[in-house]
Amino acid sequence: MTFKTSLISSILLIFSSIMPISAKNESTLDLDSIDISLLTCSPHEEIYSLYGHSALRYHDLRTGEDVVFNWGLFNFKAPHFVLRFVFGLTDYELGTTPMPYFCNYYRKWGSSVTEQKLNLTSEEKKAIIQALNENLMPDNRIYRYNFFNDNCSTRPRDIVLRSINGKIEYQLREDFFPTYREMVHECVRNHPWAKFGNDILLGLKADQPTNHEQQEFLPQNLMYDFDHAQIYKDGEYRPLIVQRDMLVPPGVQIIESDFPVSPLTAFLILLVISLCVMILEWRRRKTYKYWDALLMLLQGLAGCVLFVMLFSEHPTTSTNLQILLLNPLPLFYLPAILKRKKNTHWWNILLVMIILFFIGRCFQVYAEGMIILALCLLIRYWSHYKNA
């Protein structure tokens, strides 16, 4: 849901002199000449844009001022960016961009830009303008980004809804109770490794049905809802959107192929290797400790990532039942396995972990291939049990 960092930096440097609307005398504004619109940008193939993007457009037809208020700016070069992102401590920023540059960016990537002009009274326009300028103030423009709860789609939505003088009534979508995971799957359906990465990190809360407001973290859902929304006041209805235009039509997108081996294929290969190792062990009456060590190392390192995510501020990672299988515990028993200690308790602990993991599958959707990984580890338990 963000611009590419290099482009953002260039735009902000060139157009940092753009004055906020509040710098003008609001009494001189001809509010009838001002259009305020929701912009929705379709996804393109870069990983950061798979979910689309939303922004607000301020267009003064009298003066020609035409700027986009964009909550999707971030500094990838900020200190400890990756670590802060893991813990849900990423800061995003509101900035203004001239409308032509905003459209040209998405035109370059082959993404469409749809404009929905809001059906606002003069008082509502004034309230939105005041809210936008307050958000642009140095103390307010930086905010703590949250993928599901506070992002480039929810920020413009909240400003609009808070400024409306009346009650917003929506038309229900056909699939009204999808989970966060199901919605994310739809966005990354052509990127199996992105889907796998999301599913590894998303926990139990991502599999709970969502309500209407929660689904609007996706720009496409917000656009649909605004299209079908009515403002109710004093017994009368008026549509929230007065006009919809396609400012940038969909273009040609360059689709780069993902890693040629899918997650499912990779885990199937792992299963085949595990079976081959088991057969060799059975024939030679010995166990291959280095194969055990490799599996335990991978299991433990992945478990460290999931363990860290338990302390993240991301709302759906704190309860992840996949940690029943992927956790740091194997790293503590790794030296004993390499030394071939017969009294290690690791294999009994592993069996308990696998059983609990399969029980947890009744409550949470696991990443693709995780069940196969559990079977590989179960094969290792059985192999050591037979050779004990």
Side-chain angles (χ1 to χ4, degrees):
M1 298 184 187
T2 61
F3 271 159
K4 199 168 186 177
T5 311
S6 59
L7 180 66
I8 294 171
S9 302
S10 301
I11 290 175
L12 290 179
L13 286 174
I14 296 173
F15 296 99
S16 59
S17 60
I18 290 180
M19 298 289 286
I21 304 168
S22 59
K24 304 175 181 178
N25 185 350
E26 290 183 0
S27 63
T28 65
L29 286 175
D30 180 7
L31 294 174
D32 290 337
S33 70
I34 294 174
D35 286 333
I36 298 176
S37 310
L38 176 70
L39 301 179
T40 303
C41 310
S42 65
H44 57 75
E45 288 302 300
E46 290 295 312
I47 192 68
Y48 57 82
S49 183
L50 294 177
Y51 307 96
H53 186 59
S54 295
L56 285 181
R57 179 188 186 186
Y58 170 91
H59 188 195
D60 191 329
L61 302 176
R62 182 175 59 86
T63 65
E65 184 177 7
D66 196 359
V67 295
V68 176
F69 288 77
N70 177 14
W71 282 265
L73 310 183
F74 68 94
N75 182 9
F76 186 78
K77 296 182 180 180
H80 312 296
F81 178 86
V82 175
L83 185 62
R84 291 175 62 84
F85 182 83
V86 168
F87 282 99
L89 302 176
T90 311
D91 290 330
Y92 274 47
E93 182 175 349
L94 168 64
T96 57
T97 306
M99 183 65 183
Y101 285 83
F102 185 87
C103 289
N104 285 340
Y105 172 82
Y106 284 96
R107 185 178 292 111
K108 166 191 169 185
W109 286 101
S111 296
S112 64
V113 177
T114 303
E115 178 185 36
Q116 294 168 292
K117 291 183 181 179
L118 300 173
N119 186 15
L120 304 172
T121 65
S122 294
E123 290 76 15
E124 291 167 343
K125 291 180 182 180
K126 184 176 181 180
I128 290 179
I129 291 171
Q130 290 176 339
L132 290 174
N133 292 322
E134 288 177 3
N135 272 248
L136 270 178
M137 294 176 64
D139 292 339
N140 299 333
R141 63 191 306 166
I142 297 176
Y143 70 100
R144 182 55 48 83
Y145 176 85
N146 186 294
F147 181 69
F148 289 129
N149 297 336
D150 196 353
N151 63 16
C152 70
S153 181
T154 64
R155 284 262 161 171
R157 176 202 66 187
D158 292 345
I159 283 183
V160 171
L161 297 188
R162 284 195 298 264
S163 303
I164 294 295
N165 186 13
K167 180 182 178 182
I168 302 292
E169 296 185 2
Y170 295 105
Q171 175 181 318
L172 299 185
R173 290 187 288 271
E174 292 182 3
D175 183 11
F176 188 59
F177 299 108
T179 66
Y180 280 127
R181 194 185 305 273
E182 289 170 344
M183 289 185 284
V184 169
H185 280 181
E186 180 62 23
C187 294
V188 298
R189 59 188 179 278
N190 297 323
H191 299 269
W193 282 104
K195 176 184 175 184
F196 174 79
N198 287 329
D199 282 342
I200 280 288
L201 298 179
L202 293 177
L204 184 63
K205 295 179 182 178
D207 294 312
Q208 307 303 312
T210 57
N211 60 34
H212 194 275
E213 180 180 356
Q214 291 170 324
Q215 295 162 27
E216 290 174 344
F217 84 96
L218 286 178
Q220 295 295 326
N221 287 344
L222 181 62
M223 179 175 68
Y224 179 93
D225 288 345
F226 271 30
D227 263 342
H228 298 83
Q230 298 280 331
I231 304 173
Y232 176 78
K233 185 184 178 184
D234 299 331
E236 296 183 354
Y237 286 91
R238 59 184 163 105
L240 177 59
I241 301 301
V242 68
Q243 182 178 334
R244 173 172 170 166
D245 297 299
M246 181 74 72
L247 301 182
V248 177
V252 177
Q253 295 194 10
I254 299 176
I255 301 177
E256 298 180 1
S257 58
D258 281 356
F259 188 71
V261 178
S262 69
L264 180 60
T265 301
F267 280 107
L268 286 174
I269 292 173
L270 184 65
L271 178 61
V272 170
I273 295 175
S274 296
L275 291 172
C276 291
V277 170
M278 181 189 68
I279 293 172
L280 286 175
E281 289 178 333
W282 176 73
R283 288 182 175 180
R284 298 181 180 182
R285 297 295 189 267
K286 62 180 296 187
T287 58
Y288 293 99
K289 64 177 182 179
Y290 292 111
W291 177 244
D292 289 323
L294 177 61
L295 290 179
M296 293 175 67
L297 180 64
L298 296 176
Q299 185 184 4
L301 292 178
C304 288
V305 176
L306 293 194
F307 180 77
V308 167
M309 294 303 294
L310 296 180
F311 304 96
S312 172
E313 290 189 10
H314 290 295
T316 58
T317 62
S318 59
T319 308
N320 190 342
L321 299 183
Q322 292 172 112
I323 202 170
L324 296 171
L325 190 69
L326 299 180
N327 57 68
L329 197 58
L331 300 179
F332 294 98
Y333 286 91
L334 186 55
I337 294 298
L338 289 174
K339 293 177 181 178
R340 293 186 179 275
K341 288 186 177 181
K342 296 296 185 180
N343 60 346
T344 179
H345 301 292
W346 165 244
W347 301 111
N348 292 329
I349 294 173
L350 177 62
L351 179 61
V352 173
M353 288 168 52
I354 293 173
I355 293 173
L356 293 176
F357 174 80
F358 278 111
I359 294 175
R361 181 59 183 84
C362 300
F363 306 96
Q364 178 183 322
V365 176
Y366 291 157
E368 185 178 51
M370 286 296 294
I371 297 296
I372 297 176
L373 175 61
L375 292 176
C376 292
L377 295 174
L378 190 61
I379 288 173
R380 298 313 302 154
Y381 167 80
W382 182 85
S383 181
H384 280 267
Y385 175 78
K386 295 294 288 185
N387 293 327

